[in-house]
Amino acid sequence: MLYLLNPLIRLHKKNLQDQFIKLVDSHCNKTGKPTLLKEIIENRKTTILNQLHGSNIGNLADIFSTQTAKNIIGKQASPILPQDYFLIEQIAHRLFGCLLSFWTELEIFRTIQSSMAINQHSLNTPDKTYISKKINDDYHYEIVTDIALDKRVFYTDFCDQPLLLSDAIVLINIATFIKQHKWYEMLSILDISSKGEHFILYQFDNDNLYPTIISSALIEPYHDKVNWLFFDNFFQSDKWEKTQNIHTVAQLFPNMTSLSTQRDQTLEQLTCSELENEIFYSIVDKSTVCGVIRFTVNGAKPKMNYHMYLAQKGLAMALFHSKRTLIFSIIEQPAMVLFYQSMACIENDDIPFVFTGNQDINQSGLVTHKGICLTKNASNAFNRYNFREYNAKIIEKRRELKQR
């Protein structure tokens, strides 16, 4: 594996990084070990946690930033992994400062290269069938039943060349959730982003042959509720504080009251998890329900708030038109939370979002909220308030909360 070092001599750091990524990818292909990086990460994670005696450190980013990790990675070879794995680990750590960062860049490279190899036919004979609805200006939105089967190509903010839709969404997810927010756990389950039903918002530009994706979201079907992120053990733990507005919940979901009575419990006695499950099981027609995860919004910084507004509006309208009236959601974007909180104070009969629980997961002051979006009411709210009015509601609510 020492041959990896030879081509890297006399190159600047960025060039060194790029060449190393290519060499490792080539090595993985030649040796038939596409999950080599995952094996290294899992092995190092186990070693670090063993030395920490099972302390509850947190996610991968937290674990690999501990002093214990710094004393191990690139310094102590694993007794059970091949020697070439340790050499890759050493060089990756030296060039990228973190194994997780290197794994991220490797998956970005693989996604782009894979799309380039596959979509040349798509570029030569482009499918320009964009069955979409126009939302504002040059922005269009639609729901794609299965992005893995879609042969159209799109631009993203993270690559100069157009990519197949599924690859474009994978790249966006890596660049936003993993590279920006350090949710490295997603690296081992990227395939989820490459298939299934998705909402997409995109913009046409006269300077480009293909549109640019502005927003995307994965739609989780009702019959797969057991695998929804919303009902994952982490999001159903007793650390979540239940909503105080039980009266509103009872009004919106009247069947839930009878279920609770059958169990000799009042709604006030239910935990946050029990309340959310009661809500789900009280819904008669489950086909009107879905989950939404991996919601991304992209664009130039001055346009991000506008794109967030359009993405929320498009998603609500798209799902409502497809007969999905309820979205079980996990949100932490402050603008989204503030707008829905402001609407709860105004639209008593047509509330667009009901909060069910919240938690400051990282003790950082950024509170994550869980709740249910009522797509008809949300569509009406976004159609009633233009972007300037939407911003005004957010600012007003933020000012109100600061004064408390």
Side-chain angles (χ1 to χ4, degrees):
M1 194 61 186
L2 288 173
Y3 71 85
L4 275 172
L5 291 171
N6 296 331
L8 304 180
I9 299 173
R10 297 178 184 171
L11 292 171
H12 292 295
K13 186 174 182 181
K14 181 64 171 71
N15 289 335
L16 280 167
Q17 290 175 333
D18 292 342
Q19 289 300 316
F20 184 62
I21 288 170
K22 293 177 183 177
L23 287 169
V24 171
D25 182 59
S26 175
H27 177 71
C28 291
N29 292 334
K30 287 178 181 177
T31 57
K33 298 177 180 177
T35 61
L36 185 149
L37 254 295
K38 182 180 178 181
E39 291 177 51
I40 295 176
I41 299 294
E42 289 297 327
N43 174 270
R44 287 324 205 177
K45 175 186 173 183
T46 301
T47 303
I48 295 165
L49 290 178
N50 285 341
Q51 292 199 19
L52 291 170
H53 306 295
S55 300
N56 185 16
I57 300 301
N59 59 20
L60 278 177
D62 295 325
I63 293 169
F64 278 72
S65 63
T66 60
Q67 187 58 48
T68 301
K70 294 173 184 176
N71 294 338
I72 293 173
I73 297 171
K75 297 175 182 177
Q76 301 176 24
S78 169
I80 63 172
L81 292 180
Q83 186 60 34
D84 61 335
Y85 282 42
F86 186 52
L87 180 58
I88 290 173
E89 177 183 311
Q90 288 179 304
I91 302 173
H93 188 65
R94 185 179 303 171
L95 289 177
F96 294 86
C98 174
L99 281 178
L100 298 170
S101 295
F102 172 61
W103 190 10
T104 302
E105 296 299 333
L106 178 63
E107 294 303 332
I108 288 175
F109 172 79
R110 286 173 166 174
T111 301
I112 294 173
Q113 292 302 307
S114 171
S115 196
M116 285 178 61
I118 296 172
N119 78 355
Q120 192 56 51
H121 175 71
S122 298
L123 292 174
N124 292 335
T125 56
D127 179 358
K128 293 188 178 181
T129 307
Y130 297 94
I131 306 173
S132 61
K133 295 190 176 182
K134 192 170 181 178
I135 185 166
N136 279 25
D137 305 326
D138 298 318
Y139 296 90
H140 296 243
Y141 69 92
E142 63 178 281
I143 288 179
V144 181
T145 304
D146 187 353
I147 60 171
L149 305 178
D150 199 299
K151 302 305 178 186
R152 294 175 297 174
V153 293
F154 294 80
Y155 282 104
T156 72
D157 287 343
F158 310 103
C159 182
D160 292 333
Q161 62 208 29
L163 305 175
L164 286 170
L165 177 59
S166 57
D167 293 319
I169 289 178
V170 170
L171 178 60
I172 290 169
N173 282 190
I174 297 174
T176 53
F177 295 120
I178 302 173
K179 192 168 182 177
Q180 291 179 19
H181 299 296
K182 302 185 185 304
W183 295 356
Y184 295 112
E185 286 78 5
M186 285 179 63
L187 284 166
S188 59
I189 50 173
L190 284 175
D191 63 305
I192 294 174
S193 294
S194 67
K195 59 189 177 183
E197 188 177 23
H198 278 70
F199 160 81
I200 55 172
L201 171 73
Y202 49 91
Q203 181 182 21
F204 285 95
D205 185 336
N206 291 332
D207 296 331
N208 291 323
L209 186 59
Y210 309 104
T212 299
I213 293 181
I214 301 299
S215 174
S216 67
L218 172 60
I219 302 168
E220 299 172 304
Y222 73 93
H223 51 74
D224 196 34
K225 181 250 185 186
V226 66
N227 292 317
W228 283 13
L229 183 64
F230 191 99
F231 290 105
D232 180 80
N233 289 338
F234 177 83
F235 291 99
Q236 293 292 299
S237 73
D238 57 8
K239 293 181 180 180
W240 291 85
E241 181 180 341
K242 186 179 67 176
T243 180
Q244 310 241 331
N245 204 350
I246 296 296
H247 177 68
T248 301
V249 175
Q251 280 187 321
L252 291 170
F253 303 98
N255 290 341
M256 184 179 58
T257 311
S258 59
L259 286 175
S260 180
T261 304
Q262 291 171 18
R263 299 178 187 180
D264 296 324
Q265 284 180 298
T266 64
L267 295 181
E268 287 76 11
Q269 292 174 308
L270 299 176
T271 65
C272 182
S273 172
E274 290 170 339
L275 176 68
E276 290 162 349
N277 278 277
E278 289 279 338
I279 291 172
F280 183 86
Y281 289 114
S282 73
I283 299 165
V284 177
D285 186 358
K286 299 290 191 295
S287 68
T288 64
V289 183
C290 69
V292 167
I293 60 172
R294 303 194 177 189
F295 176 66
T296 64
V297 179
N298 307 291
K301 195 170 182 179
K303 285 193 170 184
M304 281 297 287
N305 287 340
Y306 180 54
H307 286 174
M308 176 66 78
Y309 166 78
L310 292 180
Q312 292 176 81
K313 180 178 181 178
L315 178 62
M317 293 195 299
L319 286 173
F320 176 63
H321 290 145
S322 65
K323 301 190 183 341
R324 263 72 67 91
T325 58
L326 301 171
I327 311 171
F328 281 70
S329 305
I330 301 166
I331 59 176
E332 64 179 19
Q333 293 93 338
M336 293 177 67
V337 174
L338 289 167
F339 180 71
Y340 286 137
Q341 286 176 336
S342 71
M343 290 296 96
C345 299
I346 300 171
E347 308 291 345
N348 291 324
D349 295 329
D350 299 307
I351 184 171
F353 193 96
V354 56
F355 292 93
T356 58
N358 64 81
Q359 182 189 165
D360 185 350
I361 295 174
N362 297 316
Q363 304 301 310
S364 62
L366 179 63
V367 178
T368 301
H369 294 263
K370 294 189 295 176
I372 300 161
C373 176
L374 291 80
T375 58
K376 179 181 179 180
N377 296 349
S379 298
N380 292 338
F382 283 108
N383 283 318
R384 184 178 304 120
Y385 299 102
N386 61 31
F387 175 60
R388 181 176 295 180
E389 294 165 333
Y390 162 85
N391 260 342
K393 294 293 180 189
I394 292 170
I395 294 169
E396 181 183 342
K397 189 64 181 179
R398 185 182 288 119
R399 188 180 296 122
E400 175 194 323
L401 293 174
K402 283 182 178 179
Q403 291 173 350
R404 288 184 181 178

